[in-house]
Amino acid sequence: FICGLPRLVEDGSALFVHGSPRGPTNEYVFPEDTQNVKKMDKLFSLVSHVCFQGHTHVPGVFTSDLRFVRPVDTGTGYDVSDRSERLMINVGSVGQPRDGDARSCYVIYDEETIEFRRVVYDVEKTVRAIEAESELDNFLGYRLREGR
């Protein structure tokens, strides 16, 4: 079923991928990639306005002028109303945000702003479920406590 789904979805000026606009299923885009001008220029050349992505689980906004804006720095919302601006938005992760905040992370988008939201979930229940699964390394659960 999953293999039959599209690798990317476009809805107006919004692009939705898992990895990146260039590698929709598997390319990582990390905050430190803002130092890699060639990579970021290529990625932004594939974005008409906004691209929502994940894969690294590190929430934040990549700007075409090579900044990475963390959720704590977006206040009540990040303005995305300028249609000439190109942005890549990592929405974080419902189960494994990796920015030092263990709460689930997601984004609300209304074509004018994006707002990062956080939700507390039972991390210890998840850790116990991972510990009970013999094919998974316990580390995968333990790092959830620290949002890593």
Side-chain angles (χ1 to χ4, degrees):
F1 171 78
I2 291 176
C3 289
L5 295 175
R7 294 174 30 163
L8 58 87
V9 173
E10 290 184 79
D11 184 6
S13 63
L15 177 64
F16 301 87
V17 298
H18 178 77
S20 81
R22 178 172 62 181
T25 59
N26 61 6
E27 182 175 28
Y28 289 99
V29 184
F30 290 101
E32 57 268 22
D33 286 333
T34 57
Q35 303 301 309
N36 185 339
V37 176
K38 187 175 180 180
K39 176 180 181 178
M40 297 303 282
D41 282 350
K42 178 58 181 174
L43 294 176
F44 278 112
S45 76
L46 301 169
V47 176
S48 64
H49 177 47
V50 293
C51 176
F52 293 92
Q53 61 199 63
H55 203 33
T56 65
H57 297 223
V58 180
V61 179
F62 293 93
T63 67
S64 58
D65 63 352
L66 304 180
R67 292 180 299 119
F68 182 74
V69 182
R70 299 185 182 284
V72 296
D73 297 324
T74 62
T76 58
Y78 190 90
D79 183 6
V80 297
S81 61
D82 181 352
R83 296 294 181 254
S84 68
E85 187 175 27
R86 294 177 183 191
L87 303 165
M88 293 188 299
I89 299 142
N90 189 312
V91 300
S93 174
V94 173
Q96 293 186 30
R98 296 187 182 148
D99 64 346
D101 186 336
R103 296 174 297 165
S104 292
C105 184
Y106 65 98
V107 169
I108 298 292
Y109 170 62
D110 68 6
E111 297 187 16
E112 299 295 318
T113 60
I114 58 146
E115 182 182 346
F116 288 91
R117 299 253 179 110
R118 296 289 186 150
V119 177
V120 174
Y121 73 102
D122 191 342
V123 172
E124 291 307 314
K125 180 178 179 181
T126 305
V127 170
R128 288 190 302 274
I130 290 170
E131 289 173 328
E133 183 57 54
S134 63
E135 295 177 13
L136 295 177
D137 188 318
N138 288 343
F139 168 76
L140 296 172
Y142 300 158
R143 72 180 181 188
L144 298 178
R145 294 175 174 137
E146 299 174 10
R148 300 260 176 244

